[in-house]
Amino acid sequence: MIRRYIGWIVALLVFAVDQFSKWFVTGPLRLPETDTIELLPIFRLQWVANHGVSMGKLVANSDAQRWALTLFTAGIAAFVAVWMMRETRRFDRVTLGLVLGGALGNILDRVRLGYVTDFLNIHFGAWSPFLVFNIADAAISIGVALLVLRAVFARDTPAPSEE
């Protein structure tokens, strides 16, 4: 039974961890007030209210754009949910769960706040190889990367049903 719902379980866990981490950095840590907290020589918490998606592209500068962006990402999340329900490979269900949970976390931010809370920053001195991100962004990126790697390197044989 868990095999059938593993994608939903992963999505729920990602969503919960993402929302908890955003609550923690904005509440108890008060990151929006301090702006930056250095944790390691290459890692810091840095407050960013992200009004865009996809590496700073598609920035929503108005309420209409914000809601259009929210509906667009909700449509993608719905597509991923349907794909996940139809998927027979457990690995793909897990990776789609990562994507779905991350998407839902960022959608909730955009609906509630008008922006996505980003706060994780990996850096090497002044150089940051990534934009500031959050748990949801990481889950989406890892899920998509794993799906692409599986598609490129796995043989295309029919998967046995794991239900």
Side-chain angles (χ1 to χ4, degrees):
M1 174 106 156
I2 287 181
R3 286 182 180 179
R4 179 174 172 81
Y5 297 106
I6 189 70
W8 293 107
I9 293 167
V10 169
L12 181 62
L13 287 172
V14 168
F15 178 81
V17 170
D18 174 65
Q19 290 300 301
F20 175 80
S21 66
K22 291 171 180 175
W23 167 81
F24 189 75
V25 299
T26 58
L29 283 184
R30 299 178 188 248
L31 191 59
E33 297 168 23
T34 60
D35 188 52
T36 302
I37 300 172
E38 285 291 333
L39 297 177
L40 298 169
I42 63 165
F43 180 71
R44 68 178 152 237
L45 301 179
Q46 180 179 347
W47 169 254
V48 174
N50 182 356
H51 294 273
V53 295
S54 186
M55 300 181 30
K57 306 293 185 220
L58 294 174
V59 176
N61 293 318
S62 69
D63 269 352
Q65 290 174 336
R66 166 190 165 200
W67 290 110
L69 192 55
T70 302
L71 288 172
F72 176 71
T73 54
I76 293 171
F79 172 80
V80 170
V82 169
W83 180 5
M84 188 174 68
M85 287 188 304
R86 294 180 177 178
E87 185 57 59
T88 58
R89 291 181 180 93
R90 185 179 340 152
F91 180 82
D92 288 357
R93 285 181 181 168
V94 169
T95 58
L96 290 166
L98 288 170
V99 174
L100 181 61
L104 294 175
N106 283 343
I107 289 167
L108 181 60
D109 274 17
R110 201 169 300 285
V111 168
R112 283 184 335 119
L113 307 169
Y115 57 86
V116 173
T117 301
D118 287 339
F119 58 91
L120 302 170
N121 186 349
I122 297 171
H123 64 91
F124 302 97
W127 180 64
S128 292
F130 308 105
L131 294 175
V132 179
F133 61 99
N134 60 42
I135 301 295
D137 297 336
I140 293 167
S141 298
I142 291 166
V144 168
L146 290 172
L147 282 169
V148 169
L149 288 171
R150 196 221 22 98
V152 170
F153 292 111
R155 280 193 248 160
D156 206 18
T157 58
S161 179
E162 296 179 9
E163 295 189 29

